[in-house]
Structures are given as C-alpha cells and as structure tokens.
Amino acid sequence: MTLPDGLSAFLMGASDFSERDAAGLRPDVAMIATPSTPATHRYAPRLLKALGYPATVVPVHWDNFELPLDEGAHRDPTIDLDGFIARIREASPGSRILLPEYATPYRF
C-alpha cells in the first residue's frame, strides 16, 4: 500500500510467504508476523531480502490477543519475540525495528 505522502507499507499477517510474490515490493515500512514456530525456513532473512531490507520493520502478532488491552499489549509467552528481533537485526542491520506500544501514534 502506498499512502498519499508516498510512504509505502507492507503487512504480512502470517509467517509463510512466496518470495516471488514479495520480491520487488520495496516498502518503507514492513509489518511482519512474528512466527509461532520455526516451520518456515529462514523466514525473516528471506522475507527481508525479498522486500529490499525496509527502513522500518514492525513485528506484529507477538501479543496475547486474548487479554484486554486496557493495560497495553502483553507478550504471548509461547512466541520467541526476542529471538525474532535478533534474526531481523542480523538479516537487516540497517533497518529500524519498531515494537509498537498500544494506542501510540508513530511517524515515519
């Protein structure tokens, strides 16, 4: 999706993808699903390479969505968010990693 100001964003709602379909998209911001299992081979490195190493990467789907948000997002204890962030940093060291806070606006 490209916004009126020219910023482009990519949302990956699941941790499996077709490299051919993602190749060449080159978003400024990539919101990518945090995998719940290591089933997809080299998921972060392959996806970030296909997307051209976006300037900003936002891990999504790492929270426990069964808890109310009145206290903010709670990490899902079954998801290795720290390991996923480390794999993003290793694969795309020039990318800014943004772990969003609930009800907080961000500018890019």
Side-chain angles (χ1 to χ4, degrees), residues 4-61:
D5 65 1
L7 183 78
S8 60
F10 174 84
L11 174 60
M12 183 76 172
S15 59
D16 197 4
F17 69 102
S18 162
E19 286 173 79
R20 184 180 354 199
D21 292 340
L25 293 178
R26 307 291 185 257
D28 299 300
V29 179
M31 296 164 280
I32 60 175
T34 305
S36 58
T37 71
T40 303
H41 178 70
R42 297 182 35 81
Y43 164 64
R46 290 177 35 244
L47 179 58
L48 295 169
K49 180 180 179 182
L51 295 175
Y53 305 105
T56 302
V57 177
V58 182
V60 297
H61 299 318

Side-chain angles (χ1 to χ4, degrees), residues 60-99:
V60 297
H61 299 318
W62 51 266
D63 57 318
N64 184 337
F65 60 85
E66 294 181 1
L67 296 175
L69 286 173
D70 57 350
E71 296 176 13
H74 298 271
R75 285 188 183 197
D76 183 329
T78 66
I79 293 180
D80 182 13
L81 177 60
D82 294 330
F84 185 56
I85 290 172
R87 289 186 292 281
I88 293 169
R89 280 199 177 102
E90 182 180 331
S92 188
S95 295
R96 168 185 159 200
I97 300 170
L98 175 64
L99 195 59

